[in-house]
Amino acid sequence: DRSARAVRLLESLEAGGPIHASAHAWHEVYGPDLLDGVLDLLLDGAAGAYNFFPAEGWTEAQWIERMAHVAECGGARLHTAPAPAEAPPAYPGGWTVSYLPRSDTTLERFVREARLARREGEAAIERKEDDVRLEDATGS
């Protein structure tokens, strides 16, 4: 989704322009990772609440720095806003197991897939042979 903050940040990094980041925790989740985790739990018959916050507890600025490294965009200028005097609540995911993959692997996939989607548009999204479609599953 080109309007997503992470996509806009990657484009800004690649353009080498200034980027303004906060010192607050990065809570955004890469959609495919969330979907994989939720489907795994559903298939396992899990019930209850589960943590889908990124396990590392990175700030937005740290997340952007790591994305710049993965994307090999050293020319971007990152400006981090100072942390407010009254710090925001503690990172919400730090005390439980996260059902997301490590953020560094997510960043690698995100950068690769975002660039592919930008370059190839809809052609980058291919239906795999083993994909189950709703109409196939319901017999419609």
Side-chain angles (χ1 to χ4, degrees):
D1 179 3
R2 292 199 67 145
S3 66
R5 176 134 171 86
V7 173
R8 293 190 324 264
L9 287 168
L10 177 59
E11 290 173 352
S12 294
L13 285 170
E14 292 173 331
I19 297 174
H20 300 277
S22 77
H24 295 289
W26 178 265
H27 294 138
E28 294 192 31
V29 176
Y30 189 40
D33 288 348
L34 177 62
L35 186 60
D36 283 347
V38 169
L39 289 175
D40 284 346
L41 288 169
L42 287 172
L43 289 171
D44 290 344
Y50 290 87
N51 177 16
F52 284 97
F53 287 101
E56 294 79 8
W58 293 341
T59 65
E60 181 181 60
Q62 291 170 319
W63 192 87
I64 294 169
E65 287 172 351
R66 285 169 171 86
M67 183 167 56
H69 175 74
V70 168
E72 298 177 342
C73 297
R77 297 179 314 250
L78 180 62
H79 303 283
T80 304
E86 290 184 26
Y91 178 68
W95 61 89
T96 62
V97 172
S98 176
Y99 284 85
L100 292 172
R102 291 182 28 195
S103 292
D104 53 347
T105 62
T106 296
L107 279 170
E108 290 168 4
R109 283 181 293 105
F110 168 74
V111 168
R112 181 180 61 246
E113 292 167 6
R115 287 175 172 167
L116 180 64
R118 186 181 329 129
R119 186 174 60 244
E120 297 187 18
E122 289 294 320
I125 304 168
E126 297 177 13
R127 179 177 176 200
K128 295 179 179 57
E129 212 170 286
D130 64 344
D131 280 351
V132 176
R133 303 205 31 102
L134 182 59
E135 58 269 15
D136 296 338
T138 60
S140 303

